[in-house]
Amino acid sequence: MYGFEAMTFNIHGGYLEAIVRGHRSGLLTASDYNNLCQCETLDDIKMHLSATEYGPYLQNEPSPLHTTTIVEKCTLKLVDEYKHMLCQATEPMSTFLEYITYGHMIDNVVLIVTGTLHERDVQELLEKCHPLGMFDSIATLAVAQNMRELYRLVLVDTPLAPYFSECITSEDLDDMNIEIMRNTLYKAYLEDFYRFCQKLGGATSEIMSDLLAFEADRRAVNITINSIGTELTREDRRKLYSSFGLLYPYGHEELAICEDIDQVRGVMEKYPPYQPIFSKLSYGESQMLDKAFYEEEVKRLCLSFEQQFHYGVFFAYMRLREQEIRNLMWISECVAQNQKSRVHDSVVFIF
Protein backbone atom coordinates (compact mmCIF):
# COMPACT_ATOMS: atom_id res chain seq x y z
CA MET A 1 0.00 0.00 0.00
CA TYR A 2 2.21 2.77 -1.34
CA GLY A 3 2.26 6.00 0.64
CA PHE A 4 0.79 4.58 3.85
CA GLU A 5 4.08 3.30 5.33
CA ALA A 6 4.34 6.39 7.54
CA MET A 7 1.34 5.23 9.58
CA THR A 8 2.76 1.86 10.69
CA PHE A 9 6.47 1.67 9.79
CA ASN A 10 7.77 3.13 13.05
CA ILE A 11 6.00 0.50 15.18
CA HIS A 12 8.66 -2.09 14.32
CA GLY A 13 11.12 -0.29 12.05
CA GLY A 14 11.51 3.19 13.56
CA TYR A 15 14.29 2.33 16.02
CA LEU A 16 16.36 0.43 13.47
CA GLU A 17 15.96 3.08 10.79
CA ALA A 18 17.24 5.67 13.29
CA ILE A 19 20.18 3.38 14.14
CA VAL A 20 21.15 2.84 10.49
CA ARG A 21 20.91 6.57 9.70
CA GLY A 22 23.16 7.21 12.69
CA HIS A 23 25.68 4.65 11.38
CA ARG A 24 25.52 6.30 7.96
CA SER A 25 26.65 9.62 9.46
CA GLY A 26 29.85 7.83 10.57
CA LEU A 27 30.93 6.96 7.00
CA LEU A 28 34.24 8.51 5.95
CA THR A 29 34.00 11.81 4.07
CA ALA A 30 36.02 13.18 1.14
CA SER A 31 38.30 15.08 3.55
CA ASP A 32 38.96 11.82 5.48
CA TYR A 33 39.98 10.13 2.22
CA ASN A 34 42.21 13.07 1.24
CA ASN A 35 43.99 12.82 4.61
CA LEU A 36 44.31 9.01 4.30
CA CYS A 37 45.81 9.38 0.82
CA GLN A 38 48.56 11.59 2.32
CA CYS A 39 49.62 8.90 4.83
CA GLU A 40 53.19 7.58 4.56
CA THR A 41 52.80 4.35 6.59
CA LEU A 42 50.06 2.00 7.77
CA ASP A 43 50.55 3.36 11.30
CA ASP A 44 49.65 6.82 9.97
CA ILE A 45 46.44 5.31 8.55
CA LYS A 46 45.71 3.73 11.93
CA MET A 47 46.31 7.08 13.65
CA HIS A 48 43.90 8.85 11.31
CA LEU A 49 41.25 6.13 11.67
CA SER A 50 41.51 6.37 15.48
CA ALA A 51 39.47 9.60 15.24
CA THR A 52 36.68 7.78 13.32
CA GLU A 53 34.27 5.01 14.30
CA TYR A 54 36.99 2.47 13.46
CA GLY A 55 39.13 3.76 16.36
CA PRO A 56 38.08 1.24 19.07
CA TYR A 57 38.61 -1.68 16.67
CA LEU A 58 42.19 -0.70 15.77
CA GLN A 59 43.47 0.85 19.02
CA ASN A 60 44.97 -2.35 20.48
CA GLU A 61 46.70 -3.50 17.28
CA PRO A 62 50.51 -3.56 17.67
CA SER A 63 52.97 -2.31 15.06
CA PRO A 64 53.95 -3.26 12.43
CA LEU A 65 50.43 -3.30 10.97
CA HIS A 66 49.38 -5.27 7.88
CA THR A 67 46.72 -4.37 5.33
CA THR A 68 44.82 -7.57 6.18
CA THR A 69 44.60 -6.48 9.84
CA ILE A 70 43.07 -3.11 8.92
CA VAL A 71 40.54 -4.72 6.56
CA GLU A 72 39.72 -7.46 9.11
CA LYS A 73 39.04 -4.97 11.92
CA CYS A 74 36.97 -2.67 9.70
CA THR A 75 34.92 -5.68 8.52
CA LEU A 76 34.45 -6.72 12.16
CA LYS A 77 32.82 -3.35 12.85
CA LEU A 78 30.38 -3.89 9.95
CA VAL A 79 29.57 -7.40 11.21
CA ASP A 80 28.91 -6.14 14.77
CA GLU A 81 26.54 -3.46 13.45
CA TYR A 82 24.76 -5.98 11.22
CA LYS A 83 24.31 -8.48 14.08
CA HIS A 84 22.93 -5.76 16.35
CA MET A 85 20.36 -4.76 13.70
CA LEU A 86 19.43 -8.38 13.01
CA CYS A 87 18.85 -9.05 16.75
CA GLN A 88 16.46 -6.09 16.97
CA ALA A 89 14.57 -6.82 13.73
CA THR A 90 11.15 -8.44 13.43
CA GLU A 91 9.59 -9.99 10.33
CA PRO A 92 9.71 -9.11 7.46
CA MET A 93 12.77 -6.92 8.16
CA SER A 94 14.77 -9.80 9.65
CA THR A 95 14.29 -11.82 6.44
CA PHE A 96 15.28 -8.75 4.40
CA LEU A 97 18.49 -8.37 6.43
CA GLU A 98 19.29 -12.08 5.97
CA TYR A 99 18.89 -11.72 2.19
CA ILE A 100 21.67 -9.10 2.23
CA THR A 101 24.18 -11.75 3.39
CA TYR A 102 23.34 -14.43 0.80
CA GLY A 103 25.72 -12.86 -1.75
CA HIS A 104 28.59 -13.32 0.72
CA MET A 105 27.51 -16.93 1.30
CA ILE A 106 27.75 -17.62 -2.44
CA ASP A 107 31.22 -16.01 -2.59
CA ASN A 108 32.36 -18.10 0.40
CA VAL A 109 31.09 -21.35 -1.16
CA VAL A 110 32.94 -20.55 -4.41
CA LEU A 111 36.11 -19.56 -2.50
CA ILE A 112 36.20 -22.84 -0.55
CA VAL A 113 35.39 -25.03 -3.56
CA THR A 114 37.97 -23.26 -5.79
CA GLY A 115 40.60 -23.39 -3.03
CA THR A 116 40.01 -27.10 -2.46
CA LEU A 117 40.31 -27.73 -6.20
CA HIS A 118 43.77 -26.13 -6.07
CA GLU A 119 44.67 -28.13 -2.94
CA ARG A 120 44.77 -25.18 -0.54
CA ASP A 121 44.47 -25.71 3.21
CA VAL A 122 40.81 -25.53 4.34
CA GLN A 123 41.67 -23.62 7.52
CA GLU A 124 43.53 -21.00 5.51
CA LEU A 125 40.52 -20.68 3.17
CA LEU A 126 38.09 -20.31 6.08
CA GLU A 127 40.11 -17.36 7.37
CA LYS A 128 39.65 -15.65 4.00
CA CYS A 129 35.86 -16.13 4.00
CA HIS A 130 33.67 -13.09 4.60
CA PRO A 131 32.24 -13.30 8.16
CA LEU A 132 28.76 -12.25 6.98
CA GLY A 133 28.57 -15.29 4.70
CA MET A 134 29.52 -18.00 7.21
CA PHE A 135 27.24 -20.96 7.98
CA ASP A 136 27.65 -24.04 10.20
CA SER A 137 28.66 -26.67 7.66
CA ILE A 138 30.92 -24.47 5.50
CA ALA A 139 34.13 -26.36 6.43
CA THR A 140 32.75 -29.62 5.00
CA LEU A 141 32.46 -28.10 1.49
CA ALA A 142 35.96 -29.41 0.85
CA VAL A 143 34.75 -33.03 0.51
CA ALA A 144 32.52 -32.42 -2.52
CA GLN A 145 33.69 -33.68 -5.92
CA ASN A 146 30.80 -32.45 -8.08
CA MET A 147 27.74 -30.18 -7.89
CA ARG A 148 25.40 -32.98 -6.81
CA GLU A 149 27.57 -33.90 -3.83
CA LEU A 150 28.05 -30.24 -2.96
CA TYR A 151 24.29 -29.86 -2.68
CA ARG A 152 23.49 -33.18 -0.99
CA LEU A 153 26.25 -33.13 1.63
CA VAL A 154 26.41 -29.48 2.56
CA LEU A 155 24.10 -26.94 1.03
CA VAL A 156 20.74 -28.65 1.44
CA ASP A 157 20.41 -27.18 4.96
CA THR A 158 21.51 -23.64 4.08
CA PRO A 159 19.46 -20.71 2.70
CA LEU A 160 21.22 -21.25 -0.65
CA ALA A 161 19.51 -24.62 -1.20
CA PRO A 162 16.64 -23.31 -3.43
CA TYR A 163 19.15 -21.53 -5.70
CA PHE A 164 21.01 -24.76 -6.47
CA SER A 165 18.15 -26.34 -8.42
CA GLU A 166 19.51 -24.85 -11.68
CA CYS A 167 23.11 -25.91 -11.25
CA ILE A 168 22.89 -29.48 -9.96
CA THR A 169 24.80 -31.53 -12.49
CA SER A 170 27.08 -34.52 -12.11
CA GLU A 171 29.92 -32.71 -13.86
CA ASP A 172 33.18 -32.53 -11.99
CA LEU A 173 34.06 -29.21 -10.46
CA ASP A 174 36.63 -27.29 -12.48
CA ASP A 175 37.37 -23.55 -12.77
CA MET A 176 34.91 -22.99 -15.63
CA ASN A 177 32.06 -24.91 -13.98
CA ILE A 178 32.66 -23.16 -10.64
CA GLU A 179 32.43 -19.73 -12.32
CA ILE A 180 29.20 -20.78 -14.07
CA MET A 181 27.90 -22.06 -10.71
CA ARG A 182 28.71 -18.70 -9.06
CA ASN A 183 26.82 -16.74 -11.73
CA THR A 184 23.85 -19.17 -11.78
CA LEU A 185 23.55 -18.90 -7.99
CA TYR A 186 23.78 -15.10 -8.11
CA LYS A 187 21.11 -14.99 -10.80
CA ALA A 188 18.73 -17.13 -8.70
CA TYR A 189 19.56 -15.10 -5.56
CA LEU A 190 18.95 -11.70 -7.20
CA GLU A 191 15.67 -12.87 -8.75
CA ASP A 192 14.49 -14.26 -5.40
CA PHE A 193 15.48 -11.06 -3.53
CA TYR A 194 13.72 -8.98 -6.23
CA ARG A 195 10.49 -10.99 -5.84
CA PHE A 196 10.69 -10.66 -2.04
CA CYS A 197 11.03 -6.86 -2.30
CA GLN A 198 8.13 -6.71 -4.77
CA LYS A 199 5.98 -8.56 -2.21
CA LEU A 200 6.88 -6.01 0.49
CA GLY A 201 5.43 -3.25 -1.71
CA GLY A 202 5.52 0.49 -1.09
CA ALA A 203 8.71 2.56 -1.05
CA THR A 204 10.82 -0.54 -0.23
CA SER A 205 9.69 -2.19 -3.46
CA GLU A 206 10.31 0.96 -5.54
CA ILE A 207 13.80 1.72 -4.18
CA MET A 208 15.04 -1.88 -3.95
CA SER A 209 13.77 -2.70 -7.45
CA ASP A 210 15.95 0.10 -8.81
CA LEU A 211 19.04 -0.96 -6.80
CA LEU A 212 18.67 -4.66 -7.64
CA ALA A 213 17.99 -3.91 -11.32
CA PHE A 214 21.26 -1.95 -11.44
CA GLU A 215 23.07 -4.89 -9.81
CA ALA A 216 21.53 -7.33 -12.32
CA ASP A 217 22.53 -5.13 -15.27
CA ARG A 218 26.07 -4.70 -13.96
CA ARG A 219 26.42 -8.46 -13.61
CA ALA A 220 25.11 -8.96 -17.16
CA VAL A 221 27.80 -6.58 -18.50
CA ASN A 222 30.56 -8.25 -16.45
CA ILE A 223 29.47 -11.76 -17.51
CA THR A 224 29.53 -10.64 -21.16
CA ILE A 225 32.99 -9.04 -20.94
CA ASN A 226 34.49 -11.94 -18.95
CA SER A 227 33.11 -14.57 -21.33
CA ILE A 228 34.44 -12.93 -24.51
CA GLY A 229 37.00 -15.30 -25.99
CA THR A 230 35.99 -18.28 -23.81
CA GLU A 231 34.17 -21.46 -24.81
CA LEU A 232 30.90 -20.23 -23.26
CA THR A 233 28.22 -20.29 -25.99
CA ARG A 234 25.79 -17.43 -26.62
CA GLU A 235 22.94 -19.50 -25.27
CA ASP A 236 24.85 -20.35 -22.08
CA ARG A 237 25.73 -16.70 -21.65
CA ARG A 238 22.09 -15.66 -22.00
CA LYS A 239 21.08 -18.18 -19.31
CA LEU A 240 23.31 -16.41 -16.77
CA TYR A 241 21.52 -13.05 -17.13
CA SER A 242 18.86 -12.20 -14.52
CA SER A 243 15.26 -11.98 -15.76
CA PHE A 244 14.71 -8.36 -14.68
CA GLY A 245 16.49 -5.02 -14.92
CA LEU A 246 16.65 -2.22 -17.46
CA LEU A 247 18.42 -4.45 -20.01
CA TYR A 248 15.83 -7.23 -19.79
CA PRO A 249 14.92 -8.66 -22.30
CA TYR A 250 16.14 -6.78 -25.40
CA GLY A 251 19.49 -5.68 -23.99
CA HIS A 252 20.24 -9.27 -22.99
CA GLU A 253 19.58 -10.46 -26.56
CA GLU A 254 22.13 -7.94 -27.84
CA LEU A 255 24.72 -8.56 -25.09
CA ALA A 256 24.60 -12.32 -25.73
CA ILE A 257 26.04 -11.84 -29.24
CA CYS A 258 28.73 -9.24 -28.36
CA GLU A 259 32.27 -10.27 -29.26
CA ASP A 260 34.34 -7.35 -27.94
CA ILE A 261 34.16 -4.50 -25.40
CA ASP A 262 33.19 -1.88 -28.02
CA GLN A 263 30.12 -3.90 -29.03
CA VAL A 264 29.14 -4.08 -25.32
CA ARG A 265 29.59 -0.31 -25.15
CA GLY A 266 27.37 0.14 -28.22
CA VAL A 267 24.57 -1.84 -26.55
CA MET A 268 24.84 -0.01 -23.22
CA GLU A 269 24.87 3.46 -24.74
CA LYS A 270 21.32 2.87 -25.99
CA TYR A 271 20.18 3.03 -22.35
CA PRO A 272 20.31 6.66 -21.05
CA PRO A 273 21.07 5.78 -17.36
CA TYR A 274 24.20 3.89 -18.47
CA GLN A 275 25.51 6.43 -20.98
CA PRO A 276 27.48 8.46 -18.37
CA ILE A 277 29.24 5.28 -17.16
CA PHE A 278 30.56 4.40 -20.61
CA SER A 279 31.31 8.01 -21.58
CA LYS A 280 34.09 7.94 -18.92
CA LEU A 281 35.88 5.13 -20.77
CA SER A 282 37.94 5.40 -23.93
CA TYR A 283 37.22 2.89 -26.70
CA GLY A 284 38.57 -0.62 -26.15
CA GLU A 285 39.16 0.03 -22.45
CA SER A 286 37.52 -2.01 -19.70
CA GLN A 287 39.94 -1.56 -16.76
CA MET A 288 38.12 1.48 -15.34
CA LEU A 289 34.64 0.02 -15.91
CA ASP A 290 34.43 -1.46 -12.40
CA LYS A 291 35.22 1.90 -10.82
CA ALA A 292 32.66 3.68 -13.03
CA PHE A 293 29.99 1.15 -12.00
CA TYR A 294 30.92 1.49 -8.31
CA GLU A 295 30.63 5.30 -8.55
CA GLU A 296 27.18 5.03 -10.12
CA GLU A 297 26.11 2.48 -7.50
CA VAL A 298 27.29 4.73 -4.64
CA LYS A 299 25.23 7.62 -6.08
CA ARG A 300 22.11 5.45 -6.16
CA LEU A 301 22.72 4.07 -2.67
CA CYS A 302 23.12 7.59 -1.22
CA LEU A 303 19.85 8.64 -2.88
CA SER A 304 17.95 5.89 -1.04
CA PHE A 305 18.56 7.78 2.23
CA GLU A 306 16.51 10.71 0.87
CA GLN A 307 13.28 8.80 1.47
CA GLN A 308 11.96 7.47 4.78
CA PHE A 309 9.93 4.46 5.93
CA HIS A 310 11.54 1.78 3.77
CA TYR A 311 14.08 -1.06 4.13
CA GLY A 312 16.31 0.09 1.26
CA VAL A 313 18.43 2.14 3.71
CA PHE A 314 19.68 -1.08 5.35
CA PHE A 315 20.79 -2.53 2.02
CA ALA A 316 22.32 0.84 1.03
CA TYR A 317 24.21 1.22 4.30
CA MET A 318 25.72 -2.29 4.12
CA ARG A 319 26.83 -1.70 0.53
CA LEU A 320 28.32 1.72 1.33
CA ARG A 321 30.29 0.28 4.27
CA GLU A 322 31.60 -2.52 2.03
CA GLN A 323 32.67 0.09 -0.53
CA GLU A 324 34.41 2.04 2.25
CA ILE A 325 36.30 -1.10 3.31
CA ARG A 326 37.37 -1.66 -0.34
CA ASN A 327 38.63 1.95 -0.41
CA LEU A 328 40.61 1.46 2.81
CA MET A 329 42.08 -1.78 1.49
CA TRP A 330 43.23 -0.07 -1.73
CA ILE A 331 44.75 2.92 0.11
CA SER A 332 46.49 0.62 2.62
CA GLU A 333 47.92 -1.58 -0.16
CA CYS A 334 49.19 1.46 -2.08
CA VAL A 335 50.87 2.84 1.07
CA ALA A 336 52.32 -0.57 2.06
CA GLN A 337 53.74 -1.17 -1.45
CA ASN A 338 54.98 2.41 -1.88
CA GLN A 339 52.68 3.03 -4.86
CA LYS A 340 51.18 6.31 -3.69
CA SER A 341 50.92 7.64 -7.25
CA ARG A 342 48.14 5.08 -7.88
CA VAL A 343 46.25 5.74 -4.65
CA HIS A 344 43.38 7.61 -6.34
CA ASP A 345 42.91 5.02 -9.11
CA SER A 346 40.34 2.90 -7.30
CA VAL A 347 39.05 5.08 -4.43
CA VAL A 348 35.32 5.78 -4.80
CA PHE A 349 34.29 8.82 -2.75
CA ILE A 350 31.02 8.23 -0.91
CA PHE A 351 30.12 11.73 0.32
Side-chain angles (χ1 to χ4, degrees):
M1 216 166 34
Y2 186 63
F4 286 87
E5 295 94 341
M7 294 169 68
T8 57
F9 184 89
N10 282 350
I11 299 169
H12 296 296
Y15 168 70
L16 280 176
E17 191 179 356
I19 288 281
V20 83
R21 285 177 186 276
H23 286 329
R24 177 244 189 189
S25 66
L27 289 165
L28 299 179
T29 60
S31 62
D32 286 320
Y33 283 121
N34 287 329
N35 289 337
L36 286 166
C37 292
Q38 304 303 317
C39 291
E40 295 293 332
T41 65
L42 293 183
D43 286 318
D44 291 348
I45 290 178
K46 176 188 166 183
M47 189 174 75
H48 183 79
L49 290 177
S50 65
T52 69
E53 291 187 357
Y54 293 116
Y57 288 85
L58 288 165
Q59 65 186 9
N60 296 325
E61 290 303 314
S63 295
L65 271 179
H66 297 286
T67 306
T68 47
T69 311
I70 293 174
V71 172
E72 212 174 276
K73 294 299 173 187
C74 294
T75 306
L76 182 61
K77 178 186 186 304
L78 174 64
V79 173
D80 286 348
E81 288 169 352
Y82 172 80
K83 284 179 177 169
H84 174 69
M85 291 191 290
L86 189 60
C87 287
Q88 303 291 333
T90 55
E91 285 293 345
M93 193 195 288
S94 55
T95 304
F96 180 88
L97 289 173
E98 283 167 4
Y99 265 107
I100 295 173
T101 64
Y102 292 174
H104 294 301
M105 279 191 195
I106 294 169
D107 289 340
N108 286 355
V109 167
V110 171
L111 175 70
I112 299 271
V113 173
T114 311
T116 310
L117 187 70
H118 296 292
E119 297 178 359
R120 303 281 293 280
D121 180 48
V122 178
Q123 201 52 46
E124 183 190 323
L125 293 169
L126 286 173
E127 285 168 16
K128 289 186 178 177
C129 285
H130 197 289
L132 284 177
M134 298 302 268
F135 50 88
D136 293 341
S137 52
I138 192 165
T140 54
L141 284 171
V143 301
Q145 298 299 313
N146 59 40
M147 305 284 185
R148 206 177 290 279
E149 281 185 19
L150 194 65
Y151 176 76
R152 188 173 57 81
L153 298 174
V154 185
L155 296 167
V156 73
D157 294 325
T158 69
L160 300 182
Y163 308 149
F164 257 83
S165 56
E166 286 186 48
C167 46
I168 296 180
T169 61
S170 296
E171 289 179 45
D172 285 351
L173 294 169
D174 59 29
D175 285 340
M176 180 78 163
N177 284 336
I178 290 170
E179 207 45 49
I180 291 172
M181 176 182 83
R182 182 209 294 271
N183 286 306
T184 310
L185 288 175
Y186 250 106
K187 174 194 171 183
Y189 156 60
L190 286 174
E191 287 172 359
D192 190 29
F193 196 5
Y194 184 80
R195 281 192 298 271
F196 177 75
C197 292
Q198 294 286 308
K199 264 192 253 171
L200 292 175
T204 300
S205 168
E206 182 194 359
I207 288 161
M208 284 305 298
S209 295
D210 180 55
L211 294 175
L212 291 173
F214 178 77
E215 178 70 17
D217 291 344
R218 175 169 63 181
R219 292 195 72 79
V221 171
N222 286 338
I223 287 166
T224 306
I225 291 170
N226 293 336
S227 62
I228 290 169
T230 67
E231 59 206 53
L232 201 68
T233 64
R234 291 175 178 181
E235 197 49 51
D236 287 340
R237 192 191 285 182
R238 195 182 287 118
K239 282 181 193 166
L240 298 176
Y241 300 151
S242 301
S243 59
F244 67 96
L246 196 61
L247 299 177
Y248 176 77
Y250 302 111
H252 289 174
E253 297 293 327
E254 293 184 67
L255 281 178
I257 57 172
C258 288
E259 287 175 0
D260 61 41
I261 180 76
D262 290 333
Q263 288 179 6
V264 174
R265 183 193 189 117
V267 173
M268 296 304 287
E269 284 181 340
K270 294 176 187 174
Y271 295 84
Y274 298 127
Q275 282 171 358
I277 293 175
F278 283 82
S279 66
K280 294 177 186 174
L281 309 177
S282 54
Y283 279 90
E285 179 190 65
S286 62
Q287 284 85 359
M288 297 304 288
L289 183 60
D290 278 346
K291 186 181 179 187
F293 268 126
Y294 280 138
E295 285 170 343
E296 178 63 26
E297 183 187 32
V298 162
K299 262 188 234 162
R300 292 174 184 232
L301 294 170
C302 290
L303 280 175
S304 67
F305 283 93
E306 302 297 315
Q307 234 172 304
Q308 272 187 298
F309 311 121
H310 65 91
Y311 295 161
V313 287
F314 299 95
F315 178 82
Y317 172 69
M318 297 294 286
R319 284 300 177 92
L320 288 172
R321 261 300 175 213
E322 284 167 18
Q323 180 58 52
E324 184 171 277
I325 292 167
R326 279 196 293 273
N327 288 345
L328 288 171
M329 180 163 81
W330 177 262
I331 293 169
S332 302
E333 284 289 359
C334 287
V335 169
Q337 295 177 27
N338 210 12
Q339 296 282 333
K340 287 189 64 183
S341 57
R342 297 190 55 203
V343 80
H344 285 284
D345 287 3
S346 280
V347 173
V348 177
F349 291 101
I350 294 174
F351 293 116

